[in-house]
Amino acid sequence: MTNILIIYTGGTIGMVNDPKTGALKPFNFSHITGNVPELKRLNYNFAVHSFNPTLDSSNMTPEIWVELAIIIEDNYSRYDGFVVLHGSDTMAYSASALSYALENLAKPVVFTGSQLPIGEIRTDAKENLLTALEIAAAKREDGKAMVPEVCIYFDYMLYRGNRSTKFDSEKFQAFTSTNYHPLAEAGIRLKYNEKYILPHTEKPLKVYKYFDTSVGSLKLFPGMDPRFVSGVLSTPGLRAVIMEAFGSGNASTNPAFLTVLRDAINRGVIILDISQCMGGTVTLGHYETSDELSAMGILSGYDMTYEAAITKLMFVMAQNIPLDEQKKMLTTSIRGELTKLNGQR
């Protein structure tokens, strides 16, 4: 039989109404079959690892990402796949971080959650959970995992974790993947888009257990005061920054603004340029307004999501490698998180 480990961190999916107070409270996930009797029909062996106490995803931290990675590492040989139940607000951050932490992953790690608690009549929790379990158990004809990567399943769509972002706080369709194709779609049957799924590897799993949080982010807006930018980039201990620029990576050509950026780079601060747009890619040097950025050494984040970019900064800064190698890693796809188009530098 297929063996699946459910890791419950917290979030809306694990809530039920307290009949006395009417307030939402976490239920004991070891009794999950009582709330989702359909699980018995899947004919899987599954175990539940529940965080105690459970976490609202707004309280997620890099230390918890490492804890998740270690749980998977410790149970890797005993289970065919893993389902992580997680609050939706920071799910894309956690899925992105786990994709970097788990190198040579050959088994599915499927994040899911819900917009309504599992005990509600109109809940999306049951479908999300049941299908996530099916995906975690799915195998190819050769017996290898169908989806050997970290992914997010929500509202009938399976996305690569580090290509996903939460874009709606109310609809059941809470996530999207603007710059990459869905890995699978759930209709009458599960339809896998195999050519977009990462290839299987025979290499042993390698787990990274540290993220460096000496990073920051700077979202540009018209009229931004260079003194504010200077204050951000002068933060003590700061090593790297995500700069959310306009369009295809463009920014103001104000000399005072550019001087602040150049001074930070000269101090060894890495600046990674991503777009504020949900779709498309950064193309430094394509317009005059980004030519100077490229010339001073600002790096292109290409088509990475914000969640993938900020967690990648934390991951790369944690590697004990020279600055040039860190820059190369940031601008190279290591887990399928970015795509370089022809002609991009």
Side-chain angles (χ1 to χ4, degrees):
M1 291 180 68
T2 300
N3 299 304
I4 305 294
L5 179 63
I6 299 171
I7 304 170
Y8 174 51
T9 66
T12 301
I13 192 169
M15 298 291 182
V16 291
N17 276 306
D18 186 324
K20 295 181 179 178
T21 65
L24 292 174
K25 66 175 185 178
F27 76 85
N28 187 338
F29 240 87
S30 63
H31 303 143
I32 189 173
T33 52
N35 288 273
V36 191
E38 296 90 341
L39 286 171
K40 297 176 181 178
R41 298 172 60 187
L42 290 177
N43 201 31
Y44 303 153
N45 284 324
F46 65 88
V48 178
H49 179 104
S50 185
F51 277 42
N52 186 19
T54 56
L55 291 170
D56 185 289
S57 72
S58 297
N59 291 320
M60 195 57 57
T61 65
E63 290 76 19
I64 301 300
W65 298 337
V66 171
E67 185 176 346
L68 281 168
I70 292 172
I71 291 169
I72 291 168
E73 179 184 37
D74 290 346
N75 291 279
Y76 195 69
S77 63
R78 295 197 292 273
Y79 294 95
D80 299 284
F82 303 85
V83 171
V84 182
L85 305 182
H86 192 292
S88 61
D89 286 350
T90 62
M91 186 183 293
Y93 291 91
S94 295
S96 297
L98 262 288
S99 76
Y100 303 130
L102 301 172
E103 186 176 320
N104 302 325
L105 183 65
K107 298 180 180 183
V109 176
V110 187
F111 278 76
T112 195
S114 65
Q115 295 286 66
L116 286 175
I118 206 163
E120 295 287 327
I121 293 175
R122 294 181 55 250
T123 184
D124 55 332
K126 289 185 179 181
E127 194 283 324
N128 285 350
L129 173 59
L130 291 167
T131 307
L133 287 166
E134 285 194 78
I135 293 166
K139 295 183 180 179
R140 306 184 315 199
E141 290 182 0
D142 60 6
K144 295 177 181 178
M146 180 64 77
V147 189
E149 58 176 286
V150 180
C151 45
I152 288 176
Y153 178 77
F154 227 90
D155 194 49
Y156 305 105
M157 303 298 287
L158 181 71
Y159 299 121
R160 178 168 295 161
N162 57 37
R163 292 286 195 155
S164 306
T165 193
K166 184 176 181 180
F167 80 105
D168 199 296
S169 63
E170 294 187 348
K171 294 180 181 178
F172 287 145
Q173 185 187 358
F175 287 84
T176 190
S177 176
T178 309
N179 285 329
Y180 199 73
H181 298 273
L183 304 184
E185 300 177 46
I188 295 174
R189 58 183 61 87
L190 275 167
K191 180 182 178 182
Y192 292 95
N193 299 320
E194 294 186 47
K195 66 180 179 179
Y196 300 118
I197 297 172
L198 290 175
H200 195 277
T201 178
E202 299 293 342
K203 295 179 181 179
L205 179 70
K206 182 176 181 180
V207 179
Y208 295 85
K209 301 174 182 177
Y210 177 57
F211 288 86
D212 189 334
T213 58
S214 57
V215 303
S217 67
L218 182 69
K219 186 167 186 174
L220 304 186
F221 60 86
M224 177 177 271
D225 192 327
R227 293 173 297 178
F228 171 79
V229 179
S230 178
V232 172
L233 296 179
S234 299
T235 301
L238 184 71
R239 298 180 63 199
V241 170
I242 298 291
M243 185 172 75
E244 292 186 82
F246 309 124
S248 57
N250 305 312
S252 168
T253 56
N254 179 344
F257 170 75
L258 296 177
T259 296
V260 170
L261 298 182
R262 191 177 296 107
D263 288 347
I265 290 172
N266 291 338
R267 294 196 305 269
V269 176
I270 290 175
I271 301 178
L272 185 66
D273 187 332
I274 66 170
S275 176
Q276 295 180 12
C277 302
M278 287 191 67
T281 187
V282 165
T283 314
L284 292 179
H286 185 64
Y287 292 97
E288 181 184 359
T289 46
S290 67
D291 195 43
E292 184 69 22
L293 304 180
S294 178
M296 73 174 66
I298 286 178
L299 305 179
S300 175
Y302 300 99
D303 58 351
M304 277 193 288
T305 65
Y306 178 81
E307 296 89 340
I310 196 72
T311 53
K312 188 174 185 180
L313 270 193
M314 294 183 194
F315 173 74
V316 172
M317 293 300 100
Q319 308 309 308
N320 187 24
I321 55 178
L323 181 62
D324 286 347
E325 291 185 31
Q326 289 179 334
K327 291 180 178 180
K328 183 178 180 180
M329 184 180 287
L330 284 169
T331 55
T332 302
S333 178
I334 59 174
R335 304 286 191 270
E337 71 281 1
L338 65 83
T339 303
K340 288 185 181 181
L341 303 177
N342 290 335
Q344 285 184 314
R345 292 173 287 180

